[in-house]
Amino acid sequence: MSSLYDRIGGQSAVDTAVEVFYRKVLADDRINEFFDGVDMEQQINKQKGFLTMAFGGPNYYTDKDMREGHRHLVARGLSDSHVDAVIELLGETLQELGVAAEDIQSVADIANSVRDDVLNR
Amino acid sequence: MSHIVFNEKRIDLKEGQTVLSALLDHGYRIPHSCCAGVCQTCMMQVLEGDVPASAQQGLKDTFKAQGYFLACSCTPETPMRITSIDVNTLRCVATVVDHQLFAEDVLHLRLKPELAFDYRAGQYITVWKDNTVGRNYSLASVAELDDCIELHIRRIPDGVISNWLHDEVRVGHQLTIQAATGNCFYLPGSPGQNMLLAGTGTGLAPLIGIARDALSQGHKGDIHLIHGGRQIDDLYLHETLVDMALTYRQFHYHANVLEAENVVPPISMNPLEQHITEVADDPADWRIYLCGDAPMVNTLKRKLFIAGASMGNIYTDPFVSANNVYDETA
């Protein structure tokens, strides 16, 4: 059986999904304030890294990166509800791209697995 | 097995080895981070040889056109001569051939470089006052059309370089300038694509260069240029742009001001943020250039991206004062 990453479509799926996903994030009033003032080009590259990991592809983030990368956001109030919103938008993105429901659940599980690191708990 | 040439030194690559890994093995301190072709920290430039497609995946087309590639994703099959892209220190001397005001605070400067000077319309150069103090200015001219390079210099209160250029520099003086750089320029290849060029103040300099470049390269799609200013007087190329719109059917000029008694088209008093999505109501396939004040550029970029524009189609030249200042004595 092929891997989750391969089933979703690998690198090219990441390239397709990243703009759809990031557009949803920036348009969502629950979370978009955390992206005010960030460099969009750099951010979209980070989003690619995140999607690659969540799709079950190569992960080059360490737990430490996850913690340090989000510490300033936790200080600004980043909480479970925001992580929930991100995972919801990720699911919507994949649904639009025609990914199967069980694969979307697997992606959500991987994203959930870094929740505590992201929230610095 | 292939090899690379870096800083004039030959480095042999092991089977399947990436350029980044070989350089690191040989003790070169090359900035890098993800090693997965994502973060673009390890971007380098090819001088000679073929770049494997995998080393340019995900790069903006204007980066590819300049031979930029990602060292971490590059396993060349044939030899490549490469360089770092952060050590571009070529300087040359240029003579001032024209020094006139476009408006009270905007100087039109035309320079003739002593040596052949390569650039693409919309890129920027550094003008040096002395060895340690310089500022970046965008190019308004088009290399293939104009025999001089042209800059639009806005006088900045207390600005060391802008006041010097306005008040002390005169026709016949020689200035030191530094190689053109930046990725905000026109590339042929999609001649039917609609283009949006928006900017405030002297952000107009790169925009008019890009528009003229696109027209001279036969761009057929609509080209909409929006120039924003505080008041009517800030629209310092109004007549020129009105004439361009009469000359070229595909070129459309719009303007924006914040303060005025009353305005008539093509001038509008709608906020620029709103004006851009009125002009480009479905920007999904548009090619977009945004130049000028950095917070404004970022606001417009975000607005257009959310409206459907693709990040790969948005080119920006934000005038960032912090990055715009070189003062090596500081």
Side-chain angles (χ1 to χ4, degrees):
Chain A
M1 179 158 156
S2 61
S3 73
L4 176 67
Y5 186 62
D6 290 337
R7 282 201 306 280
I8 294 177
Q11 183 68 46
S12 70
V14 171
D15 290 342
T16 310
V18 71
E19 290 212 344
V20 178
F21 172 64
Y22 189 31
R23 194 170 284 125
K24 286 181 189 294
V25 167
L26 289 182
D28 192 317
D29 288 337
R30 292 174 295 177
I31 50 176
N32 56 12
E33 62 174 305
F34 292 107
F35 295 87
D36 284 345
V38 303
D39 180 299
M40 290 176 66
E41 308 273 345
Q42 277 180 24
Q43 184 57 221
I44 211 155
N45 286 331
K46 288 182 186 167
Q47 304 276 5
K48 275 193 195 178
F50 168 65
L51 293 184
T52 305
M53 176 207 70
F55 291 3
N59 176 16
Y60 54 85
Y61 289 122
T62 64
D63 300 351
K64 188 162 156 272
D65 291 338
M66 278 287 172
R67 290 180 168 271
E68 294 191 349
H70 294 93
R71 186 163 292 149
H72 65 295
L73 299 178
V74 174
R76 278 168 53 191
L78 188 75
S79 70
D80 277 309
S81 66
H82 303 115
V83 175
D84 291 342
V86 166
I87 294 174
E88 176 191 317
L89 298 177
L90 185 54
E92 279 179 22
T93 303
L94 292 173
Q95 211 170 1
E96 280 176 30
L97 299 176
V99 173
E102 55 268 40
D103 285 341
I104 295 179
Q105 187 56 51
S106 307
V107 169
D109 291 344
I110 295 176
N112 254 316
S113 71
V114 297
R115 180 187 289 264
D116 285 346
D117 284 331
V118 164
L119 294 176
N120 278 266
R121 292 193 291 227
Chain B
M1 198 178 82
S2 187
H3 72 267
I4 53 173
V5 178
F6 177 67
N7 289 350
E8 307 311 320
K9 286 205 181 66
R10 179 185 161 127
I11 296 169
D12 288 318
L13 299 177
K14 295 174 204 141
E15 187 64 42
Q17 189 177 30
T18 66
V19 168
L20 177 64
S21 142
L23 288 168
L24 295 174
D25 279 359
H26 283 77
Y28 292 103
R29 292 168 56 181
I30 306 295
H32 63 284
S33 176
C34 79
C35 298
V38 174
C39 73
Q40 305 189 358
T41 307
C42 65
M43 195 146 67
M44 300 184 79
Q45 189 174 20
V46 67
L47 300 172
E48 229 177 292
D50 295 326
V51 183
S54 61
Q56 291 185 315
Q57 191 179 344
L59 291 190
K60 245 188 163 67
D61 53 6
T62 45
F63 283 141
K64 292 183 193 172
Q66 295 174 88
Y68 291 171
F69 68 96
L70 302 178
C72 75
S73 306
C74 185
T75 46
E77 288 175 9
T78 49
M80 291 171 75
R81 197 159 70 82
I82 62 171
T83 181
S84 300
I85 53 177
D86 56 347
V87 289
N88 207 344
T89 53
L90 295 169
R91 295 188 185 189
C92 89
V93 170
T95 306
V96 178
V97 295
D98 205 358
H99 182 286
Q100 290 187 49
L101 290 180
F102 272 141
E104 197 186 336
D105 62 345
V106 180
L107 171 68
H108 183 209
L109 201 60
R110 289 173 68 230
L111 307 172
K112 188 141 189 88
E114 268 186 358
L115 303 168
F117 191 79
D118 278 339
Y119 68 92
R120 295 166 188 265
Q123 288 192 307
Y124 56 88
I125 61 168
T126 310
V127 177
W128 293 94
K129 180 168 186 275
D130 53 43
N131 281 334
T132 59
V133 185
R135 295 289 184 277
N136 291 340
Y137 291 102
S138 296
L139 292 155
S141 47
V142 180
E144 291 74 18
L145 302 177
D146 305 309
D147 55 356
C148 292
I149 62 175
E150 298 186 25
L151 309 174
H152 301 175
I153 316 282
R154 176 194 280 284
R155 189 196 286 274
I156 307 292
D158 302 322
V160 175
I161 304 284
S162 65
N163 282 301
W164 167 69
L165 289 171
H166 272 255
D167 299 333
E168 293 175 47
V169 166
R170 291 291 175 260
V171 169
H173 286 192
Q174 292 199 317
L175 303 180
T176 302
I177 61 174
Q178 185 163 330
T181 182
N183 70 338
C184 187
F185 56 81
Y186 180 77
L187 277 177
S190 310
Q193 195 172 23
N194 287 331
M195 288 171 62
L196 173 68
L197 304 95
T200 51
T202 48
L204 181 57
L207 295 179
I208 194 169
I210 293 164
R212 291 176 63 228
D213 194 15
L215 289 166
S216 83
Q217 295 201 50
H219 195 84
K220 297 285 183 285
D222 282 324
I223 303 173
H224 291 269
L225 187 151
I226 311 181
H227 186 210
R230 200 161 50 80
Q231 15 188 334
I232 302 274
D233 286 349
D234 293 329
L235 306 176
Y236 61 87
L237 286 184
H238 186 72
E239 305 299 327
T240 305
L241 292 164
V242 167
D243 283 347
M244 264 175 79
L246 291 172
T247 307
Y248 299 97
R249 276 180 56 193
Q250 69 272 51
F251 181 78
H252 311 275
Y253 165 55
H254 316 263
N256 254 110
V257 290
L258 300 174
E259 302 161 9
E261 295 273 308
N262 61 345
V263 294
V264 291
I267 306 177
S268 150
M269 289 187 69
N270 288 345
L272 188 53
E273 273 182 77
Q274 185 184 328
H275 204 167
I276 50 167
T277 46
E278 287 165 7
V279 170
D281 59 348
D282 180 11
D285 297 316
W286 287 52
R287 192 183 319 194
I288 295 158
Y289 296 87
L290 306 171
C291 304
D293 174 61
M296 182 279 306
V297 164
N298 290 330
T299 302
L300 299 186
K301 182 179 184 180
R302 183 161 167 163
K303 171 116 185 169
L304 287 159
F305 177 71
I306 291 172
S310 171
M311 200 75 97
N313 277 328
I314 305 179
Y315 304 86
T316 61
D317 181 5
F319 296 178
V320 185
S321 47
N323 287 351
N324 215 17
V325 176
Y326 298 102
D327 191 342
E328 290 164 10
T329 57

